[in-house]
Amino acid sequence: MPDSILKYFQSQIGKSIEKSSASLGNWLNGTFVEVKEGEMTVSFVVRKDMTNPLGILHGGAASAIIDDVMGMTVYALGKEFVYVTVSLTVDFLDNAKEGETIYAKTRVVRNGKTLINVECQLTNEQNKVLAKGTSNFVATSIKTTL
């Protein structure tokens, strides 16, 4: 099963995320750009409903993007059990305006049996870092399915 989950995500490159089992992921509506074992890049267009009163990407939306893509990266590892977020730290470094395309780029730092550490950078088209996040995921007793 590990290979089949990774291959599924790789088959989605260039496609928008609109059939996720996570409703929030569907709302974010990213597009897969790159998928490797332990790494993923997903692009997003900043929509009006993702912005704060200043017209820039809301911190909650940025955090949701970071958490969602890190979660997909962990799921793509094809572990026997589902892993869930137990901590999420996000640093906001710059902003993105409505209409801009941004990229969430993840990397698994530590792939343990019960704990997985992942980092993510949210960048714009000029590769300027807008936010960075780190998270720990812990194994549950729920079996993984595709």
Side-chain angles (χ1 to χ4, degrees), residues 5 12 14-15 22 30-32 37-38 51 53-54 61 68 72-73 75 80 87 94 100 102 116 121 132 135 137 144:
I5 294 175
Q12 299 303 299
K15 298 178 182 177
T31 300
F32 289 102
E37 185 174 348
T51 63
L54 299 175
D68 196 54
M72 289 188 294
T73 303
Y75 194 76
E80 180 181 3
S87 66
D94 213 325
E100 285 188 58
I102 59 175
I116 299 174
Q121 282 197 341
K132 60 180 186 163
S135 185
F137 291 79
T144 298

Side-chain angles (χ1 to χ4, degrees), residues 53-66:
L54 299 175
I56 58 176
L57 181 64
H58 190 286
S63 297
I65 288 169
I66 289 169

